Amino acid sequence: MWLHVLLFPPAGRDLPPICPDVRQKHQHRITIDILPPEVRARFASDPVIPIRTKTAKEFQEDIERATVSGDWKHVHDFYLTTFDSFLELNAAFKKEANAPFNTIEDSGINTKFVNAVYDALLLTPPDTQRAVLKGIINSFSALIFLTQIKQFLSTYPATYVIYAHLLRQIAALAESELFLCKRFKQLVERLHFFISTRLFPAKPEELPPMAKCYWWIPSATKVLSLLNAANSISCTPIMPFVDFYNLTLDHTDFMEDYHTWQTHGNSTRFTFCQFPFILSTVVKKAIIQKDSEQQMISMARQSLVDKVSRRQRVDMSLLFLNIKVRRLQLVSDSLDELARNRADLKKKLKVTFVGEAGLDMGGLTKEWFLLLIRQIFHTDYGMFTFFNDSHCHWFSSWKCDNYSEFRLVGALMGLAVYNSITLDIRFPPCVYKKLLTPPVVPCDPDTPVGMATLTLDDLQQVMPDLAHGLAELLSYEGNVEEDFCTTFQVSQEELGVIKSYNLKPGGDKIPVTNQNRKEYVQLYVDFLLNKSIYRQFAAFFYGFHSVCASDALLLLRPEEVEILVCGSPNLDMSSLQKAAQYEGYSKTDPTIRAFWDVVLAFPLELQKKLLHFSTGSDRVPVGGMADLNFKISKIDASTDWLPISHTCFNQICLPTYKNKKELKQKLTIAISNAEGFGLE
């Protein structure tokens, strides 16, 4: 059956013919001689398919009996035999085992039985599911092998046509049919190479015109989506999600692709935005910013029209989000200003500190972010709790009448994304899952937001000790009710007061047992990460989306939102060296050469401290080190001085140290004691 699907496309999906102009252009024809011996092996005569008589009704009865009795052997044997080979698949699911069928009008497949077997598979024990998966992988090993033959992508350009047809057939398969292969990463790389070559061919004349092979890129992208799905559902991902990015797309008109997607959605008209896994974070950030800019321009244009129509003087400041704050009332003033300018949040940000001269060329904006974040996230402020074990902040669960400050933090994160500011925020990954639940603000204000489906793994990243204890409860082999003596009621401290909450109605009277402990753990995780902080997080959610409200959020993974807000943790100091700017020094000066010798030899931890000392964050912005605009300046000071930094300008200032040893000593002291010292 599966081979039948590969060789004969469904009705209405006939493949375009191989372009005749390509055939004429190349003297070298594709023959069986260029294929490896494994593929050229002589085919046996058509086999006789064995007779299988089980019906869908009989199979359903087997499932019902196994569910009641707990004995799955009979069902397991059925799956094991059925998915052992193509012959057995055909025997099980063809209406008449050895009868021919018209492949266009009638596939000859008992689809009702296929659906029943597939649906029931989800109910079977894990060993049965593994056996089926192994059979599927073995059945498709030949197909996977074909996609990895190098001749398809290197011998002659004409082979791209054959490769494209092969990809189109694979794209019609279900996700479970292409789960794992030994050369998974190689296959992904070759698919990316195929897409990139079709988009930007070295010799366009050697490929068919785009109008004749419009389906090549969609087919390759759909195959990539199958691989991406397989990678995502794997217990341990085979490769990081960033390896599915096609960086060639950074150089295409992705805004046109985005607008087409907005107009047509996930219809039959292909766009890369239908498959966001293939778009890099750089592209997604640019889409969010350009989308917001277009909204901002539209709003500014309307403001100008309103002013002119009323014959009022036009003030160019209306093009910006103007924030005026006093340093001593930083949080309250910022809250008031953002509330007052709520309609202008998508405009370019300009910050003024009251009583201080100077224009905001970016430095004051970054300083405002740095000071505000440090004050709000300080433990004494009470909005967030810092867990030393996980090195992250979490929302305080205390109740109050006004959650506007949490909305302020959400708005700050949104403004940081829009204004390309990297924030030094230590949230666990589940916060970004919650921010995308849902990714677009619901029209109904009563619809819950931020209520993500979270697990013990998510709790592990916030409260590792508690998560470890709950994991031990789940694996405990003794009598849980007698030994743990706990109920479906939990307690937590709020502003020094211990309060108790039932995880379900009457929870204080329901003991936790071996039978219900999974439910207890799931309800406890949901309480800690969702319900106990719902109002705080809802305000935070609406604050973020008040700035970043865009369909582009539908394209993002939670990990990508974190990178947009906080930057990437992957440091490349060599790239920073190449992009560095100098003031008073040149890159050939002895002090500069010594500086980079020292920094490149630093362990990762000290490199992070240097970046934090210089920029206020130990992470890299989405565009890479070059986007930091890192500057090293010369100061006329004694060599007894330690280096100082201007974090608002990503600048470090160095005296002319006598030698490399002295520079290393002074720099290490400065960056290791940077909190509250040496920062301007």
Side-chain angles (χ1 to χ4, degrees), residues 103-243:
T103 59
I104 295 178
E105 297 177 3
D106 184 7
S107 66
I109 296 172
N110 187 341
T111 54
K112 182 179 178 181
F113 194 15
V114 172
N115 291 335
V117 171
Y118 174 79
D119 292 339
L121 180 60
L122 303 177
L123 306 175
T124 61
D127 59 331
T128 301
Q129 296 178 15
R130 284 194 294 269
V132 171
L133 181 60
K134 182 179 179 181
I136 290 173
I137 294 170
N138 291 337
S139 297
F140 280 95
S141 59
L143 179 62
I144 300 302
F145 177 75
L146 283 175
T147 64
Q148 299 194 61
I149 296 176
K150 290 185 178 181
Q151 283 89 337
F152 276 127
L153 292 178
S154 60
T155 308
Y156 311 114
T159 62
Y160 276 77
V161 181
I162 299 175
Y163 195 75
H165 278 265
L166 177 61
L167 294 178
R168 187 170 189 179
Q169 295 287 14
I170 302 175
L173 302 176
E175 294 176 7
S176 62
E177 297 166 10
L178 192 64
F179 186 70
L180 290 175
C181 67
K182 293 180 180 179
R183 300 179 181 178
F184 190 94
K185 188 170 183 178
Q186 290 180 350
L187 179 54
V188 170
E189 290 172 349
R190 285 177 183 150
L191 287 166
H192 280 309
F193 182 75
F194 178 82
I195 293 172
S196 301
T197 302
R198 176 62 273 189
L199 284 172
F200 300 104
K203 297 181 179 180
E205 69 278 2
E206 293 186 347
L207 292 178
M210 186 66 82
K212 292 185 178 180
C213 57
Y214 60 89
W215 49 272
W216 286 21
I217 290 176
S219 295
T221 305
K222 289 173 184 177
V223 175
L224 269 176
S225 74
L226 297 177
L227 295 170
N228 177 65
N231 189 63
S232 298
I233 64 176
S234 176
C235 295
T236 302
I238 305 165
M239 54 194 292
F241 69 89
V242 295
D243 286 355

Side-chain angles (χ1 to χ4, degrees), residues 321-340:
L321 169 59
N322 295 289
I323 301 292
K324 294 182 179 180
V325 293
R326 296 165 294 178
R327 289 185 181 271
L328 295 180
Q329 283 79 33
L330 188 63
V331 175
S332 59
D333 282 1
S334 299
L335 190 62
D336 293 341
E337 286 287 275
L338 291 179
R340 183 174 62 83

